[in-house]
Amino acid sequence: MIEPTRIIAIRHGETTWNVDTRIQGHLDIPLNNTGRLQATRLALALKEEPITAVYASDLARAWETAEYLGRARGLPVTPETGLRERCFGDFEGKTFTEIEALLPEQSRRWRKRDPEFAPTGGESLLALSQRVVEAAERIAARHPGELIALVGHGGVMDVLYRAAARLHIQAPRTWMLGNAAINRLLWTPQGFTLVGWADTQHLNDESLDDGLLAAGPNPTLATP
């Protein structure tokens, strides 16, 4: 019998475009200073967890978040393009308001969560779901009995939650997809199971900053 793989699934830290409600998709947007602080606290909160491998989307905001965790655990980060955000094509670089004004019909289908709709040059929900689940299952199957971390994006977290909760792709979203939140899943060959979701206590725990000071200055955190 194959032992379950325990998974900590993490959305990247905050970016300026998150704050502006601007669609990032496959555009390579870095963390802002708040996001770097979130990634630092996340890494310190998980430092003592027996994580054996860290996988991440190769987009900068997820990769940088994962590197904080990798350094804290003394682990390399393995790139996985299957954990990338949904490709939004013509939506990328635009705010929600701009999309509604400039592309009203596409905006309507997007907000209805039409599974087969893809923005021009982008990816459908069905394609995203298949890609993310396939990647997460493939990674989890390599690590039976272990605890691993998957660092990705809001769309990736949404897919994993639905897979674990057995929810349809069009079900209304009632769960949080917070930046740098800790989400826990189990995987067996029968699928994913939800263990815990949207734990953000560490993001408000200023005592974790003592760990940052003890570790010495991190030049990345000071990058504007």
Side-chain angles (χ1 to χ4, degrees):
M1 182 176 178
I2 298 177
E3 291 187 75
T5 302
R6 293 177 293 150
I7 298 170
I8 298 176
I10 301 160
R11 183 186 179 194
H12 61 78
E14 184 184 276
T15 71
T16 301
W17 282 25
N18 288 149
V19 177
D20 293 343
T21 68
R22 194 173 298 278
I23 298 293
Q24 298 173 106
H26 282 192
L27 296 180
D28 219 5
I29 311 304
L31 299 179
N32 62 17
N33 281 340
T34 296
R36 295 184 185 102
L37 179 59
Q38 290 172 337
T40 300
R41 288 181 174 172
L42 170 78
L44 291 170
L46 296 176
K47 185 176 181 179
E48 302 304 322
E49 298 249 4
I51 297 168
T52 58
V54 179
Y55 293 83
S57 158
D58 61 339
L59 296 174
R61 55 197 186 272
W63 186 260
E64 187 179 350
T65 302
E67 284 193 313
Y68 279 89
L69 177 57
R71 283 194 296 268
R73 288 289 305 147
L75 294 169
V77 179
T78 301
E80 174 52 67
T81 58
L83 298 177
R84 279 187 168 202
E85 181 60 281
R86 179 181 179 182
C87 179
F88 276 99
D90 284 355
F91 284 12
E92 294 182 357
K94 297 179 176 67
T95 65
F96 296 171
T97 301
E98 289 168 346
I99 291 167
E100 191 155 350
L102 296 171
L103 303 165
E105 177 57 22
Q106 290 196 53
S107 177
R108 183 188 66 81
R109 293 185 67 187
W110 174 41
R111 293 183 184 280
K112 284 181 64 178
R113 296 189 60 84
D114 181 338
E116 297 182 353
F117 164 69
T120 302
E123 188 176 21
S124 71
L125 275 177
L126 280 175
L128 171 70
S129 181
Q130 291 167 2
R131 165 169 64 81
V132 170
V133 169
E134 188 278 333
E137 288 183 336
R138 173 168 39 81
I139 293 168
R142 297 176 191 156
H143 299 278
E146 299 178 30
L147 173 64
I148 63 172
L150 305 181
V151 185
H153 306 264
V156 174
M157 297 303 111
D158 186 64
V159 167
L160 292 176
Y161 185 97
R162 291 172 189 274
R166 309 295 190 270
L167 291 173
H168 190 271
I169 198 169
Q170 283 188 289
R173 184 186 297 159
T174 58
W175 50 95
M176 301 297 292
L177 301 172
N179 292 109
I182 294 171
N183 308 298
R184 296 181 186 269
L185 308 166
L186 285 179
W187 178 85
T188 68
Q190 288 70 49
F192 294 96
T193 302
L194 194 63
V195 177
W197 198 260
D199 179 0
T200 58
Q201 183 177 355
H202 56 288
L203 299 181
N204 300 314
D205 187 354
E206 294 183 2
S207 69
L208 290 173
D209 296 345
D210 294 339
L212 174 62
L213 294 173
N218 187 328
T220 306
L221 192 60
T223 303

